Amino acid sequence: TGELVWVGKSFVGGKQCTNEHYSPPNTKQLLNSAGIAVAETRIQYHSVCAACGCPDYAATHYALISKDQLDNAEKLGFQPNDPPAN
């Protein structure tokens, strides 16, 4: 019931050519577990190199939250950040 703001956080992990795969968090669940209601989420996937040792996952996860929850989101590493247009 207040002003909404987009926040984003980059997630990178895993390693090409190994069994080290990365399972990114569910952004909504992550924020909800900290008491932050989420109106919408989006993910922008980033290219990764295909060489051994490169990450196997890279993306920025975005969430639309109430502006009064911004401080709590920042404690989780999210920063104000608009997602790319669809």
Side-chain angles (χ1 to χ4, degrees):
T1 60
E3 185 179 351
L4 298 177
V5 61
W6 282 101
V7 294
K9 180 177 179 179
S10 292
F11 292 93
V12 178
K15 196 178 286 188
Q16 301 276 347
C17 305
T18 71
N19 289 332
E20 185 182 324
H21 297 290
Y22 180 72
S23 295
N26 178 308
T27 304
K28 184 173 182 168
Q29 287 179 353
L30 177 65
L31 291 166
N32 285 170
S33 69
I36 301 169
V38 176
E40 185 179 344
T41 61
R42 294 185 189 167
I43 298 175
Q44 178 186 19
Y45 296 97
H46 304 294
S47 298
V48 294
C49 66
C52 292
C54 289
D56 74 348
Y57 183 88
T60 302
H61 292 220
Y62 298 92
L64 187 61
I65 65 170
S66 176
K67 191 172 186 177
D68 64 359
Q69 291 291 309
L70 183 56
D71 287 343
N72 292 335
E74 287 177 333
K75 290 176 185 172
L76 295 174
F78 287 85
Q79 295 296 315
N81 194 351
D82 289 330
N86 284 346

CSV table of all heavy atoms in Angstrom, one decimal, residues 47-70:
chain,number,residue,atom,x,y,z
A,47,SER,N,25.3,-13.6,-20.3
A,47,SER,CA,26.2,-14.6,-21.0
A,47,SER,C,27.4,-15.0,-20.1
A,47,SER,O,27.9,-14.1,-19.3
A,47,SER,CB,26.7,-14.0,-22.3
A,47,SER,OG,25.7,-13.7,-23.1
A,48,VAL,N,27.8,-16.2,-20.2
A,48,VAL,CA,29.0,-16.6,-19.5
A,48,VAL,C,29.9,-17.3,-20.6
A,48,VAL,O,29.4,-17.8,-21.6
A,48,VAL,CB,28.7,-17.7,-18.4
A,48,VAL,CG1,27.9,-17.0,-17.3
A,48,VAL,CG2,27.9,-18.9,-18.9
A,49,CYS,N,31.2,-17.2,-20.3
A,49,CYS,CA,32.1,-17.9,-21.3
A,49,CYS,C,31.9,-19.4,-21.2
A,49,CYS,O,31.5,-19.9,-20.2
A,49,CYS,CB,33.5,-17.4,-21.0
A,49,CYS,SG,34.2,-18.0,-19.5
A,50,ALA,N,32.3,-20.1,-22.2
A,50,ALA,CA,32.2,-21.5,-22.3
A,50,ALA,C,33.5,-22.3,-21.9
A,50,ALA,O,33.5,-23.5,-21.9
A,50,ALA,CB,31.7,-22.0,-23.6
A,51,ALA,N,34.5,-21.5,-21.5
A,51,ALA,CA,35.8,-22.1,-21.1
A,51,ALA,C,35.7,-22.8,-19.7
A,51,ALA,O,34.9,-22.4,-18.9
A,51,ALA,CB,36.9,-21.0,-21.1
A,52,CYS,N,36.5,-23.8,-19.6
A,52,CYS,CA,36.5,-24.5,-18.3
A,52,CYS,C,36.9,-23.4,-17.2
A,52,CYS,O,37.8,-22.6,-17.4
A,52,CYS,CB,37.5,-25.6,-18.3
A,52,CYS,SG,37.0,-27.0,-19.3
A,53,GLY,N,36.3,-23.5,-16.1
A,53,GLY,CA,36.5,-22.6,-15.0
A,53,GLY,C,35.6,-21.4,-15.0
A,53,GLY,O,35.5,-20.7,-14.0
A,54,CYS,N,34.9,-21.1,-16.1
A,54,CYS,CA,33.9,-20.0,-16.1
A,54,CYS,C,32.7,-20.4,-15.3
A,54,CYS,O,32.4,-21.6,-15.2
A,54,CYS,CB,33.6,-19.6,-17.6
A,54,CYS,SG,34.9,-18.9,-18.5
A,55,PRO,N,31.9,-19.4,-14.8
A,55,PRO,CA,30.7,-19.8,-14.1
A,55,PRO,C,29.7,-20.4,-15.1
A,55,PRO,O,29.7,-20.2,-16.3
A,55,PRO,CB,30.2,-18.5,-13.6
A,55,PRO,CG,30.9,-17.4,-14.3
A,55,PRO,CD,32.2,-18.0,-14.9
A,56,ASP,N,28.8,-21.3,-14.5
A,56,ASP,CA,27.8,-21.9,-15.4
A,56,ASP,C,26.5,-21.1,-15.2
A,56,ASP,O,25.5,-21.4,-15.9
A,56,ASP,CB,27.6,-23.4,-15.1
A,56,ASP,CG,26.9,-23.7,-13.8
A,56,ASP,OD1,26.8,-22.9,-13.0
A,56,ASP,OD2,26.6,-24.9,-13.7
A,57,TYR,N,26.4,-20.1,-14.4
A,57,TYR,CA,25.2,-19.3,-14.2
A,57,TYR,C,25.6,-17.9,-13.8
A,57,TYR,O,26.5,-17.6,-13.0
A,57,TYR,CB,24.4,-19.9,-13.0
A,57,TYR,CG,23.1,-19.1,-12.8
A,57,TYR,CD1,21.9,-19.5,-13.5
A,57,TYR,CD2,23.0,-18.1,-11.9
A,57,TYR,CE1,20.7,-18.8,-13.3
A,57,TYR,CE2,21.8,-17.4,-11.7
A,57,TYR,CZ,20.7,-17.7,-12.5
A,57,TYR,OH,19.5,-17.1,-12.3
A,58,ALA,N,24.9,-16.9,-14.5
A,58,ALA,CA,25.0,-15.5,-14.1
A,58,ALA,C,23.8,-14.8,-14.5
A,58,ALA,O,23.3,-14.9,-15.6
A,58,ALA,CB,26.2,-14.9,-14.9
A,59,ALA,N,23.2,-14.1,-13.6
A,59,ALA,CA,21.9,-13.4,-13.8
A,59,ALA,C,21.7,-12.3,-12.7
A,59,ALA,O,22.3,-12.4,-11.6
A,59,ALA,CB,20.7,-14.4,-13.8
A,60,THR,N,20.9,-11.3,-13.1
A,60,THR,CA,20.5,-10.4,-12.1
A,60,THR,C,19.0,-10.7,-11.8
A,60,THR,O,18.2,-10.8,-12.7
A,60,THR,CB,20.7,-8.9,-12.6
A,60,THR,OG1,22.0,-8.7,-12.9
A,60,THR,CG2,20.2,-7.9,-11.5
A,61,HIS,N,18.7,-10.8,-10.5
A,61,HIS,CA,17.4,-11.1,-10.1
A,61,HIS,C,16.8,-9.8,-9.6
A,61,HIS,O,17.4,-9.1,-8.7
A,61,HIS,CB,17.4,-12.1,-9.0
A,61,HIS,CG,17.8,-13.5,-9.4
A,61,HIS,ND1,17.2,-14.6,-9.0
A,61,HIS,CD2,18.8,-13.9,-10.3
A,61,HIS,CE1,17.8,-15.7,-9.5
A,61,HIS,NE2,18.7,-15.3,-10.3
A,62,TYR,N,15.6,-9.5,-10.1
A,62,TYR,CA,14.9,-8.3,-9.7
A,62,TYR,C,13.6,-8.6,-8.9
A,62,TYR,O,13.0,-9.6,-9.2
A,62,TYR,CB,14.5,-7.5,-10.9
A,62,TYR,CG,15.7,-7.0,-11.8
A,62,TYR,CD1,16.2,-7.8,-12.8
A,62,TYR,CD2,16.4,-5.8,-11.5
A,62,TYR,CE1,17.2,-7.4,-13.6
A,62,TYR,CE2,17.4,-5.4,-12.3
A,62,TYR,CZ,17.9,-6.2,-13.3
A,62,TYR,OH,18.9,-5.8,-14.1
A,63,ALA,N,13.3,-7.7,-8.0
A,63,ALA,CA,12.0,-7.8,-7.3
A,63,ALA,C,11.4,-6.4,-7.1
A,63,ALA,O,12.1,-5.4,-6.9
A,63,ALA,CB,12.2,-8.5,-5.9
A,64,LEU,N,10.1,-6.4,-7.2
A,64,LEU,CA,9.3,-5.1,-7.0
A,64,LEU,C,8.8,-5.2,-5.5
A,64,LEU,O,8.0,-6.1,-5.2
A,64,LEU,CB,8.2,-5.0,-8.0
A,64,LEU,CG,7.4,-3.8,-8.0
A,64,LEU,CD1,8.3,-2.6,-8.3
A,64,LEU,CD2,6.2,-3.9,-9.0
A,65,ILE,N,9.3,-4.3,-4.7
A,65,ILE,CA,8.9,-4.3,-3.3
A,65,ILE,C,8.5,-2.9,-2.8
A,65,ILE,O,8.6,-1.9,-3.5
A,65,ILE,CB,10.1,-4.7,-2.4
A,65,ILE,CG1,11.3,-3.7,-2.5
A,65,ILE,CG2,10.6,-6.1,-2.8
A,65,ILE,CD1,12.4,-3.9,-1.5
A,66,SER,N,7.9,-2.9,-1.6
A,66,SER,CA,7.5,-1.6,-1.1
A,66,SER,C,8.8,-0.8,-0.7
A,66,SER,O,9.7,-1.4,-0.1
A,66,SER,CB,6.7,-1.9,0.2
A,66,SER,OG,6.3,-0.7,0.8
A,67,LYS,N,8.7,0.5,-1.0
A,67,LYS,CA,9.9,1.3,-0.7
A,67,LYS,C,10.2,1.3,0.7
A,67,LYS,O,11.4,1.4,1.1
A,67,LYS,CB,9.6,2.7,-1.2
A,67,LYS,CG,10.8,3.6,-1.2
A,67,LYS,CD,10.5,5.0,-1.9
A,67,LYS,CE,11.8,5.8,-2.0
A,67,LYS,NZ,11.5,7.0,-2.7
A,68,ASP,N,9.3,1.1,1.6
A,68,ASP,CA,9.6,1.1,3.1
A,68,ASP,C,10.3,-0.1,3.5
A,68,ASP,O,10.8,-0.2,4.6
A,68,ASP,CB,8.4,1.4,3.9
A,68,ASP,CG,7.3,0.3,3.8
A,68,ASP,OD1,7.5,-0.7,3.1
A,68,ASP,OD2,6.3,0.5,4.5
A,69,GLN,N,10.5,-1.1,2.6
A,69,GLN,CA,11.2,-2.3,2.9
A,69,GLN,C,12.6,-2.3,2.3
A,69,GLN,O,13.4,-3.3,2.3
A,69,GLN,CB,10.5,-3.6,2.4
A,69,GLN,CG,9.2,-3.8,3.2
A,69,GLN,CD,9.6,-4.3,4.6
A,69,GLN,OE1,10.4,-5.2,4.8
A,69,GLN,NE2,8.9,-3.7,5.6
A,70,LEU,N,13.0,-1.2,1.7
A,70,LEU,CA,14.3,-1.1,0.9
A,70,LEU,C,15.5,-1.3,1.9
A,70,LEU,O,16.4,-2.1,1.5
A,70,LEU,CB,14.4,0.3,0.3
A,70,LEU,CG,15.6,0.5,-0.6
A,70,LEU,CD1,15.8,-0.5,-1.7
A,70,LEU,CD2,15.6,1.9,-1.2
